[in-house]
Amino acid sequence: GSLIMWLPLNYFFVYNGFDTSIGSNSGYVLNLFISILYPYVMLKTSAEYYSTTIAWCKMLGTGFITVSMFLIFPENYFVQVLGVFCFLLDSLYIYLLQKKKRELKSAS
């Protein structure tokens, strides 16, 4: 459902000139959706299928790109705020994932 909604939103977002030359605005909006869905889906299923390494890589990757956005587009507060929100949500996801994995180990 999110993908189907994202396609026309992204098209008109770019078409109307709201995106940067490198697509950071639309990329961060999509990243925000992903950062919201990760913990939601993980809490609905078993944490044994989720990788802590992947969670850290997503957070660090987004974090490094966010730092570069502060340097490349210092006037784009929209991307900066989205980057900070993604970082906070990714941190929450890592915390929840590690907590659920500890619960799985103690239940075994």
Side-chain angles (χ1 to χ4, degrees), residues 6-21:
W6 175 249
L7 291 173
L9 287 173
N10 187 52
Y11 175 79
F12 289 113
F13 195 77
V14 173
Y15 179 80
N16 288 317
F18 295 123
D19 215 345
T20 63
S21 59

Side-chain angles (χ1 to χ4, degrees), residues 23-84:
S24 61
N25 288 356
S26 58
Y28 271 96
V29 171
L30 183 58
N31 198 341
L32 186 66
F33 278 108
I34 293 167
S35 292
I36 291 169
L37 289 173
Y38 264 38
Y40 175 77
V41 173
M42 187 267 305
L43 290 172
K44 297 285 184 189
T45 61
S46 176
E48 68 183 315
Y49 302 114
Y50 293 84
S51 168
T52 306
T53 303
I54 297 296
W56 275 97
C57 287
K58 181 191 180 310
M59 184 193 68
L60 291 173
T62 301
F64 289 138
I65 296 298
T66 301
V67 169
S68 70
M69 289 296 103
F70 273 85
L71 299 173
I72 297 170
F73 297 107
E75 71 286 347
N76 193 340
Y77 303 118
F78 181 69
V79 166
Q80 294 170 1
V81 168
L82 287 174
V84 170

Side-chain angles (χ1 to χ4, degrees), residues 1-7:
S2 296
L3 177 63
I4 291 169
M5 290 187 313
W6 175 249
L7 291 173

